[in-house]
Amino acid sequence: MAEAPRKIMLKRIAHVYYKYSDMDKATTFLDDFGFTEEKRVSDGKIYYRGYGKEPWVLCAIKADKAEFGGVGFAVESEEDLRIASETLPKATKIYELEDAPGGGKCVTFYDPVDGYPMHLVYGQEPAQMLDIPLPHEPMNYPTEKNRPANKFQRFEKRPAPVHKLGHFGVRTVSFAKAYKFYCDHFNFLASDLIHDAEGIDRTVFFRLDRGDEEVDHHVFFFAEGRSYKVHHSSFETHDFDTQVLGHDWLREKGYKNCWGVGRHVLGSQIFDYWYAHSDAVPSSFRDRTNGGFRYDPDGFIMEHYVDGDLITSSQPPHRSKAGPGSLHVWGERHLNMIILFSKSMVLTKNTIGPEVPSDFLD
């Protein structure tokens, strides 16, 4: 890699690629999760959007083996793409996103620690927001009644519509190497760092440094573990009612809830994690059942979230010790350690649902 003249300036997280061996199951799940099909290049490649301004937020690709295909970040300029192509590990030359909604140019590189792809894009045409019904009803509190008399709350049972891609997370084999690489080459800032009992940082939640612009608490996190794996991608939906209606929709369709609904501490989001119905579970996976609950720790996980924190670059990083208190403040705990899944986290005995097996992190 050549030495970069400056950091590559990321503007926002944009989209994610997933490869599926069973596209029928995958597309059924994506529809039920709340994505909108935007462009079907073929039965083996489909672009999905949210109701926001991103031209697409997920690309589903048929493949022999289920695989995470990497996340795309929008950059400030074509010069950022040039720097990326000349300085990042195994970077491609600049190429056109020929069949993608919104067009644009792209450079793909590979994480130098764990080898997964990342994509940088520039020049996409934004989409028009979709005009879909979303509730905006005022809330009544015990001593503050904001909704007029004779005005009723009525909701439609449906999937929770996706607004945008909010963040993704992976397990890395070397926190220190990954942290240095992403801080050296990009405008990432640590919002929260989690350290172990010896005071060594093992997990980071990165936001983008956009100066005084308000940005999400994190767009990218990683935690150190024995081997690489993608953990989940997270998609924003409208509000809590919309989220829980989507939870019920997925449950009634027979999908497996991973963890949620609950409220995170770091980032403050209300979360709801689901296992995608696909063939994402490798053949080496051993079914484990505890109290009748089956979970797929090697499968794709997707999250709906609402009500996350916004911060600016003036907020300093926060450091805290790993433990159950850093994960959630309320919510069902049948798999309360699944979001952060490395040796930097502490497994705890559950009070609701089956206990986490002792070999969960193996």
Side-chain angles (χ1 to χ4, degrees):
M1 294 186 297
E3 185 175 347
R6 62 169 174 81
K7 289 187 177 183
I8 295 163
M9 300 302 293
L10 308 178
K11 293 182 66 176
R12 66 186 184 277
I13 192 169
H15 50 248
V16 63
Y17 294 84
Y18 279 97
K19 298 179 182 180
Y20 299 95
S21 58
D22 190 326
M23 282 289 280
D24 290 337
K25 288 182 179 178
T27 56
T28 300
F29 172 82
L30 295 171
D31 290 341
D32 285 329
F33 194 80
F35 294 97
T36 298
E37 184 176 322
E38 176 66 10
K39 182 178 181 181
R40 185 176 289 254
V41 178
S42 67
D43 288 342
K45 188 175 186 181
I46 306 172
Y47 289 94
Y48 291 86
R49 65 169 294 175
Y51 64 82
K53 294 183 178 181
E54 288 294 337
W56 58 281
V57 297
L58 184 145
C59 181
I61 301 171
K62 182 173 176 57
D64 293 334
K65 178 184 176 183
E67 188 176 13
F68 177 67
V71 160
F73 283 88
V75 299
E76 281 193 347
S77 68
E78 193 165 348
E79 176 67 8
D80 288 291
L81 291 186
R82 185 192 65 77
I83 294 172
S85 69
E86 295 176 355
T87 63
L88 295 183
K90 299 181 181 179
T92 66
K93 295 181 179 180
I94 299 172
Y95 63 91
E96 298 284 341
L97 292 170
E98 295 180 350
D99 63 9
K105 298 180 179 182
C106 185
V107 168
T108 297
F109 70 96
Y110 290 83
D111 176 275
V113 180
D114 300 292
Y116 58 90
M118 296 272 277
H119 314 280
L120 305 174
V121 298
Y122 176 73
Q124 289 181 298
E125 289 293 327
Q128 294 292 318
M129 289 190 67
L130 296 181
D131 185 14
I132 61 174
L134 297 168
H136 287 276
E137 296 298 328
M139 182 74 70
N140 281 341
Y141 300 98
T143 60
E144 180 186 330
K145 307 301 183 183
N146 299 303
R147 194 164 59 252
N150 304 320
K151 176 81 170 177
F152 307 115
Q153 296 266 40
R154 297 293 183 266
F155 299 98
E156 175 189 356
K157 290 189 174 184
R158 62 175 179 177
V162 165
H163 171 232
K164 69 171 185 177
L165 172 63
H167 65 263
F168 81 110
V170 303
R171 184 173 65 196
T172 179
V173 297
S174 176
F175 174 89
K177 290 179 180 179
Y179 187 85
K180 184 178 189 309
F181 172 77
Y182 287 104
C183 288
D184 286 351
H185 288 275
F186 302 96
N187 57 321
F188 285 116
L189 282 179
S191 296
D192 277 280
L193 288 157
I194 311 298
H195 63 83
D196 61 17
E198 287 72 43
I200 301 171
D201 292 332
R202 301 293 189 183
T203 300
V204 65
F205 292 85
F206 273 138
R207 70 184 185 274
L208 296 180
D209 182 356
R210 303 294 303 166
D212 293 334
E213 179 184 340
E214 296 177 347
V215 299
D216 290 334
H217 173 271
H218 59 279
V219 293
F220 177 28
F221 79 85
F222 52 82
E224 189 170 275
R226 299 180 187 179
S227 60
Y228 159 76
K229 70 174 287 185
V230 61
H231 191 256
H232 73 273
S233 299
S234 183
F235 299 87
E236 186 178 39
T237 189
H238 176 65
D239 66 2
F240 184 57
D241 283 305
T242 303
Q243 182 181 36
V244 177
L245 286 164
H247 176 100
D248 285 351
W249 181 274
L250 290 166
R251 183 187 61 194
E252 291 171 7
K253 292 287 185 177
Y255 298 105
K256 298 296 183 182
N257 180 246
C258 169
W259 185 28
V261 176
R263 171 78 79 167
H264 280 311
V265 176
L266 307 180
S268 302
Q269 301 97 327
I270 301 176
F271 62 82
D272 192 24
Y273 296 88
W274 290 86
Y275 296 113
H277 258 207
S278 71
D279 288 345
V281 181
S283 59
S284 60
F285 167 67
R286 289 189 295 116
D287 283 348
R288 302 187 185 104
T289 303
N290 192 341
F293 183 82
R294 179 180 181 273
Y295 61 92
D296 302 340
D298 293 317
F300 293 152
I301 300 171
M302 292 186 184
E303 176 194 14
H304 284 130
Y305 79 92
V306 299
D307 194 29
D309 292 332
L310 295 177
I311 50 180
T312 66
S313 62
S314 63
Q315 183 71 17
H318 296 265
R319 291 185 78 242
S320 56
K321 185 178 178 181
S326 64
L327 283 175
H328 73 306
V329 66
W330 61 261
E332 193 172 11
R333 295 192 292 165
H334 53 251
L335 278 179
N336 63 350
M337 288 297 139
I338 195 159
I339 179 173
L340 292 176
F341 41 84
S342 71
K343 62 188 178 185
S344 65
M345 293 292 112
V346 179
L347 289 175
T348 61
K349 184 177 290 292
N350 299 301
T351 59
I352 302 175
E355 293 193 18
V356 179
S358 60
D359 60 351
F360 179 67
L361 301 181
D362 290 348

